[in-house]
Amino acid sequence: MKEQNKKKILLKLFLSTLYLSAFTFGGGYVIVTLMKKKFVDQYHWIEENEMLDLVAIAQSSPGAIAVNGAIVVGYKLSGILGALVAILGTVLPPFVILSVISVFYKAFRNNWLISQLLEGMQAGVGAVIASVTLDMGIPIVKEKEAVSLIIMVGAFVAACLFGINVVYIVIVCGIIGIIRTLLLNRRKMK
């Protein structure tokens, strides 16, 4: 019974990541919201706070956030096999789509309809990224924890106003998180 349940979860995981990857345009941040809706809201496989942690892990790891996010969700659900299934589901659609596009690239390159379609997608992607930002930022604001709010605002200012590379911002935020955890653990021991 347990083995059959695991197979069902793996199949659902594969089909979910395949679907999300096939119909998500605009990069990894767009897929984060859809993963949250699928894995947190619909399947209840993960808690919302845990999803934020998984996204943070995916963001801070090298590689595409969509693949990294799928890996951590798959691993959380079914270990190494879950991670492999999620990778396959996430990588397969772009591989097939890019292979087809590369064959017909010359025909697509100068097609007015395709260029207009892509411009429209860019606007939609901007809206979805704004939605992701709100979905991830609102829980931090609701916690009303001063340090988290300062980190969030500081990271935003560093990226948007000063143009600091996101890699450096993630590293600094990770270091702040480590220091904060060590300080909190030290206080608990006293």
Side-chain angles (χ1 to χ4, degrees), residues 43-63:
Y43 291 148
H44 306 288
W45 284 344
I46 335 173
E47 297 295 319
E48 188 165 344
N49 286 340
E50 193 173 16
M51 183 69 188
L52 290 173
D53 292 341
L54 296 177
V55 169
I57 291 168
Q59 172 64 32
S60 61
S61 302

Side-chain angles (χ1 to χ4, degrees), residues 18-34 66 93-94 97-98 101 114 117-129 132:
L18 184 79
Y19 171 80
L20 291 173
S21 185
F23 296 104
T24 302
F25 296 92
Y29 293 105
V30 176
I31 204 169
V32 170
T33 299
L34 300 174
I97 291 168
L98 288 174
I101 288 174
I114 298 294
L117 177 76
L118 292 173
E119 274 189 44
M121 283 181 177
Q122 287 176 356
V125 166
V128 172
I129 289 173
V132 170

Side-chain angles (χ1 to χ4, degrees), residues 29 56 59-60 150-177:
Y29 293 105
Q59 172 64 32
S60 61
I150 291 168
I151 291 171
M152 184 174 73
V153 170
F156 177 81
V157 168
C160 293
L161 297 181
F162 297 115
I164 297 174
N165 190 317
V166 177
V167 172
Y168 300 127
I169 294 170
V170 169
I171 289 170
V172 168
C173 290
I175 291 169
I176 291 170

Side-chain angles (χ1 to χ4, degrees), residues 10-126:
L10 288 171
L11 179 63
K12 266 187 170 179
L13 178 64
F14 175 76
L15 292 175
S16 297
T17 54
L18 184 79
Y19 171 80
L20 291 173
S21 185
F23 296 104
T24 302
F25 296 92
Y29 293 105
V30 176
I31 204 169
V32 170
T33 299
L34 300 174
M35 285 177 130
K36 179 201 169 282
K37 286 179 181 168
K38 183 67 83 177
F39 301 135
V40 174
D41 300 337
Q42 184 179 347
Y43 291 148
H44 306 288
W45 284 344
I46 335 173
E47 297 295 319
E48 188 165 344
N49 286 340
E50 193 173 16
M51 183 69 188
L52 290 173
D53 292 341
L54 296 177
V55 169
I57 291 168
Q59 172 64 32
S60 61
S61 302
I65 191 170
V67 177
N68 292 346
I71 289 169
V72 292
V73 168
Y75 186 80
K76 161 79 171 84
L77 293 175
S78 295
I80 297 288
L81 186 58
L84 292 173
V85 166
I87 290 170
L88 184 62
T90 303
V91 172
L92 200 58
F95 177 76
V96 170
I97 291 168
L98 288 174
S99 296
V100 170
I101 288 174
S102 69
V103 170
F104 298 105
Y105 177 71
K106 285 188 179 184
F108 284 146
R109 183 174 60 183
N110 297 321
N111 187 308
W112 179 83
L113 183 62
I114 298 294
S115 68
Q116 295 306 305
L117 177 76
L118 292 173
E119 274 189 44
M121 283 181 177
Q122 287 176 356
V125 166

